[in-house]
Amino acid sequence: MHLPSGFSALCVALSMAVRASAGEIALSVEDARGRPLPEAVVYLMSDKSSAVHAPTSVIIDQRHKQFIPEITVVQTGTAVSFPNNDSIRHSVYSFSRPKQFQIKLYGGRTPPPVVFDKAGVVAIGCNIHDEMAAWVVVVDTPYFAKTDPSGAHVFTDLAPGAYQAFAWYPEMETARGPVKLVVGEGPTVTARVHLNVTPLVNESH
Ligand SMILES: [Cu+2]
């Protein structure tokens, strides 16, 4: 796997927490300065993960010349709609290998959804407005989330077994990982993932 230069090696700290609930993995993600990183994509792979399916339709809105949300994570096979709620027209496209598409200029009626059928990172833009950017991270697992304001997410109700954890943030070409974790019969498994990235600056929020 090719990793872009500029990202340091993955630092992982594993510890067993004392909480008694079984089948949980608690992940926390931090940025280059060691601060909690909200809105990072995290996901877990396991032998059984592709057999379970997450919801299969998702919306990425367009308002005030922005995609909302900017970061979306979906399971392979998910259909994503791109409604345009601006009074100007947009043309949504991607050149990324897992999903190349182009929707001609439109306003008003929402075009048919785009099905993201291959795993990987898909960078999305608008042909008219260069400043519009969004990412869809397509994963072969239903166990995915974005980290909360404290940079964390807890996966619950996990069957015992081996899992591989990954984390991703915009501008990374591929997700960082795997962090190997084993869910046993007992306490929560925790892992901390350090990504050498700078949080997105978004002046309009
Ligand atoms: Cu546009």
Side-chain angles (χ1 to χ4, degrees), residues 4-196:
S5 59
F7 295 118
S8 71
L10 176 68
C11 304
V12 180
L14 296 180
S15 61
M16 299 299 284
V18 288
R19 269 198 291 162
S21 49
E24 290 187 359
I25 290 177
L27 294 178
S28 58
V29 180
E30 61 189 36
D31 70 12
R33 292 195 196 169
R35 295 171 303 192
L37 191 58
E39 294 282 299
V41 168
V42 288
Y43 59 96
L44 303 173
M45 303 293 295
S46 79
D47 291 349
K48 305 148 206 148
S49 57
S50 61
V52 187
H53 284 275
T56 52
S57 75
V58 165
I59 288 174
I60 298 177
D61 204 350
Q62 294 163 88
R63 285 174 193 269
H64 310 299
K65 290 201 266 184
Q66 282 191 327
F67 291 111
I68 303 171
E70 291 176 315
I71 303 168
T72 299
V73 53
V74 299
Q75 190 170 10
T76 44
T78 300
V80 177
S81 292
F82 293 91
N84 178 359
N85 284 292
D86 280 333
S87 54
I88 50 174
R89 294 189 296 168
H90 296 296
S91 173
V92 181
Y93 76 96
S94 177
F95 294 139
S96 297
R97 216 174 310 152
K99 190 68 193 182
Q100 298 179 345
F101 68 96
Q102 175 162 329
I103 308 174
K104 287 182 181 160
L105 267 180
Y106 67 98
R109 187 194 296 232
T110 301
V114 177
V115 176
F116 289 79
D117 43 14
K118 288 199 194 100
V121 175
V122 181
I124 287 170
C126 170
N127 274 318
I128 310 302
H129 306 106
D130 283 344
E131 68 271 34
M132 292 175 68
W135 293 267
V136 177
V137 181
V138 188
V139 295
D140 272 327
T141 173
Y143 310 125
F144 59 77
K146 290 195 290 184
T147 53
D148 65 17
S150 69
H153 180 77
V154 181
F155 292 94
T156 58
D157 296 325
L158 296 170
Y163 291 83
Q164 296 182 320
F166 294 82
W168 179 90
Y169 199 75
E171 312 300 353
M172 293 171 60
E173 286 179 23
T174 56
R176 188 54 48 85
V179 180
K180 294 183 178 176
L181 302 164
V182 175
V183 171
E185 301 295 336
T188 301
V189 181
T190 68
R192 193 161 56 91
V193 182
H194 174 83
L195 301 178
N196 195 7

